[in-house]
Amino acid sequence: MLVFEIIIGLLLAGAALTALSRRIGTPYPALVALAGAAIALVPGTPTLVLEPDLALTLFVAPVLLDAAYDASQRDLRASWRTVAGLAVGAVALTVVVVAVVARALVPGMPWAVAVALGAIVAPPDAAAATAVLGQLRPPHRLMVILEGESLFNDASALLVYRLAVGAAVAGALTPARILPLLLVTTAGSVALGYVLSRVIPPLIARIEDVPIAVVVQFCGTFAVWILAERLHLSGILTVVVFAMASAQRAAGQMAARVRIPSYAVWGFAVFVLNVLAFILVGFQLKAILGRIDAPTLLRYAGVAGAVCLAAVLARIAWVSATAAVSRLRCRPTEDGSKARPDAVGLSPRGAAVVGWCGMRGIVTLAAALALPTGARGAPAFPHRDLVVFTAFAVVLGTLVLQGMTLRPLMRVLRLEGDGSVDREVRVARVETLRAGLSATGGAAADPLSDVLRRRYEVMLRGAEAELRGGGASQGPPAGGDGDARTGGAAVARRAVEAERGRLLSLRAEGTIGDAAFQRVEEELDLEELSLRRLARDDAPEAS
């Protein structure tokens, strides 16, 4: 009961810290990480150990699916070179540098353990960076790169992590088996994720009861992860592929009355899981501090500080070097021709921001918690206490050092948004309103339908003027004639269906990305819910 009371109190504290972080412009994981560290210093707090096999499944699967579901495939394709370089190259460099540093400081540490430590701290978490950058409205491409990297660097890092942990515990892995195993795991995970995306979402779309639909969504996410793990594939890569493939189909399958509340529930779940991860690490640290003396603690702190510095510098070095090479390679040739848009690298200021956005988060914490504890007669992971301590120190250090200085850095560099998403939203509004107006053209000529058509005409003229003027995207006029909405409910439903179909085609054509798509989709969802309510109110009562 005491643990439950502490968790409830810390969840409330997490909510308060999140509200504070938004006021001061700091990523909320930074303040929550400080709260998690404080748990280890509070006398009387209990010791709590999470089942290792549960850690990655519980904390990573839902958070990763939520991020991958919102990713824009069009935008990722446009920046695939930079994203792939960060997801593979930067992770590999970090793993190597951290492993070398750890071995130098702890000579008795096996190479497999050092590599596992490098894989744990290698993948940055975009949530902390985007929490700050989203308020500052940087160039859209920077957000795409950071969010895309966070999807795939987790997969590459945890593939190395799993191999290293297996080698450290069982010692059964030989170098000759690593490459074939990686290839089979990667191909199998992609195939499984794609196949499941064709099976699970249509089943969920048939469920009209909101609570049941949300429960099935979560259970489906865990089922995808567990199935991949049981088949000895990558749970992360499978979930990413599943989510990105499902997102392209779910918009036309899921009802608005299910989508809106389910998005809210998923946002709440992601927040709770982030807070709980830091809380559980705080409990782990308390147990570790109780097992070591002061000299050992100082040694742990020294190793953690060196590893944190190595991880930060390795990312900055990779981003700076690759950005410089890309700019050199993409210079105009003698005949004046320029490189393709997808080949252009980061600008110096963009590279500085991306290099500094190396905050670690929930994946690092979950991977550390998932290390074998030696319970139930299973072999324990060597140097587990040092690895868990170091992983949390890297998370805390990067969140505090980089997360709290990201806003000042953005102000110094004066990186401003390019307005590309706002323009796509304006284009989408014009195109969808045209489709909606066209759908009302064949309606019976009654006064209420005429009012509905005139309303669409007024909204379309306003959207076209906004598109020509290039002003801020504020959304379509709210409200409308309630009587017209009630009497013309059937016509209005057809109009909204036409708008939604046009919106889907705009995304399929590549005219708009997922960021613009989701904003306009939300507006159409609210419109659809309003029509459902009006149609229900207008329905004759049963005698």
Side-chain angles (χ1 to χ4, degrees):
M1 188 65 179
L2 177 60
V3 173
F4 177 74
E5 294 172 353
I6 292 174
I7 290 177
I8 293 297
L10 289 172
L11 284 176
L12 290 174
L17 291 173
T18 301
L20 175 62
S21 70
R22 291 173 179 171
R23 293 183 63 87
I24 64 178
T26 299
Y28 82 86
L31 299 183
V32 177
L34 291 172
I39 294 175
L41 304 177
V42 176
T45 53
T47 300
L48 182 63
V49 178
L50 185 69
E51 184 71 25
D53 293 339
L54 178 62
L56 284 173
T57 306
L58 175 62
F59 293 117
V60 176
V63 173
L64 195 63
L65 183 133
D66 183 67
Y69 193 89
D70 293 335
S72 174
Q73 296 186 23
R74 184 205 66 172
D75 295 338
L76 285 175
R77 285 194 297 268
S79 300
W80 73 269
R81 284 180 171 83
T82 304
V83 171
L86 289 168
V88 178
V91 166
L93 179 62
T94 304
V95 170
V96 171
V97 171
V98 168
V100 170
V101 170
R103 277 277 300 179
L105 295 176
V106 187
M109 177 181 289
W111 274 111
V113 175
V115 170
L117 174 59
I120 288 172
V121 302
D125 182 7
T130 54
V132 176
L133 294 178
Q135 301 173 4
L136 302 177
R137 299 176 67 84
H140 178 61
R141 185 164 182 255
L142 286 185
M143 299 290 285
V144 170
I145 289 172
L146 291 171
E147 292 171 350
E149 176 204 3
S150 71
L151 297 178
F152 298 103
N153 63 13
D154 295 341
S156 59
L158 290 189
L159 279 174
V160 177
Y161 164 85
R162 194 170 73 174
L163 294 173
V165 170
V169 174
L173 193 64
T174 61
R177 294 180 54 194
I178 291 179
L179 183 58
L181 183 59
L182 287 175
L183 292 176
V184 171
T185 300
T186 301
S189 300
V190 172
L192 178 63
Y194 183 79
V195 170
L196 292 177
S197 73
R198 300 288 173 171
V199 176
I200 296 178
L203 296 177
I204 297 177
R206 295 175 178 271
I207 304 173
E208 297 184 357
D209 186 272
V210 175
I212 296 176
V214 173
V215 170
V216 175
Q217 288 173 17
F218 277 96
C219 291
T221 301
F222 290 122
V224 170
W225 180 285
I226 293 171
L227 179 60
E229 292 294 319
R230 290 296 176 88
L231 296 175
H232 302 289
L233 301 175
S234 168
I236 282 189
L237 191 56
T238 304
V239 168
V240 168
V241 173
F242 169 79
M244 295 183 69
S246 298
Q248 300 300 306
R249 300 169 58 87
Q253 296 175 338
M254 186 182 298
R257 63 182 300 271
V258 175
R259 179 165 41 243
I260 290 179
S262 67
Y263 281 6
V265 173
W266 275 91
F268 165 77
V270 168
F271 169 75
V272 169
L273 289 173
N274 272 283
V275 174
L276 285 178
F278 287 105
I279 291 173
L280 288 172
V281 171
F283 285 127
Q284 296 275 312
L285 288 179
K286 184 173 182 63
I288 292 172
L289 294 178
R291 291 194 293 264
I292 61 177
D293 52 20
T296 304
L297 176 60
L298 291 176
R299 183 169 62 87
Y300 279 17
V303 173
V307 167
C308 183
L309 182 62
V312 170
L313 294 179
R315 177 180 177 84
I316 293 175
W318 175 270
V319 174
S320 301
T322 54
V325 170
S326 180
R327 290 193 300 271
L328 183 65
R329 181 171 54 86
C330 296
R331 289 184 303 176
T333 60
E334 294 181 358
D335 61 0
S337 62
K338 296 182 179 180
R340 299 187 310 274
D342 63 342
V344 177
L346 292 167
S347 67
R349 291 186 297 170
V353 172
V354 172
W356 196 243
C357 289
M359 292 79 81
R360 274 58 177 179
I362 191 169
V363 172
T364 294
L365 295 178
L369 291 173
L371 293 172
T373 60
R376 300 177 183 175
F381 188 79
H383 300 275
R384 186 181 190 276
D385 284 354
L386 174 59
V387 172
V388 173
F389 183 93
T390 301
F392 183 74
V394 172
V395 171
L396 182 61
T398 55
L399 283 174
V400 172
L401 174 65
Q402 296 178 305
M404 292 186 172
T405 57
L406 185 55
R407 178 182 287 264
L409 177 64
M410 288 289 294
R411 289 174 176 169
V412 170
L413 295 177
R414 296 182 179 179
L415 275 173
E416 298 179 353
D418 50 18
S420 59
V421 175
D422 287 337
R423 175 170 176 78
E424 289 179 1
V425 169
R426 292 192 292 270
V427 170
R429 289 203 182 110
V430 169
E431 291 295 323
T432 54
L433 286 171
R434 286 174 179 168
L437 178 60
S438 177
T440 66
D446 63 84
L448 297 178
S449 296
D450 287 341
V451 171
L452 181 62
R453 283 195 296 273
R454 286 197 297 270
R455 181 173 183 269
Y456 264 100
E457 291 170 353
V458 171
M459 293 170 63
L460 177 58
R461 285 196 296 270
E464 290 174 336
E466 187 179 51
L467 178 60
R468 289 192 300 270
S473 182
Q474 300 295 333
D481 191 315
D483 293 333
R485 283 293 183 175
T486 304
V491 178
R493 279 196 295 271
R494 290 200 301 270
V496 172
E497 290 173 0
E499 289 184 87
R500 195 179 298 280
R502 181 57 181 147
L503 182 64
L504 288 168
S505 67
L506 288 172
R507 182 177 67 172
E509 297 164 1
T511 304
I512 63 173
D514 283 70
F517 175 88
Q518 290 156 11
R519 284 169 58 176
V520 180
E521 181 188 49
E522 182 181 8
E523 296 168 4
L524 294 179
D525 285 345
L526 294 174
E527 186 82 355
E528 181 180 326
L529 291 181
S530 176
L531 292 174
R532 289 176 63 90
R533 177 180 57 81
L534 291 171
R536 184 173 60 250
D537 293 343
D538 194 44
E541 295 183 2
S543 57

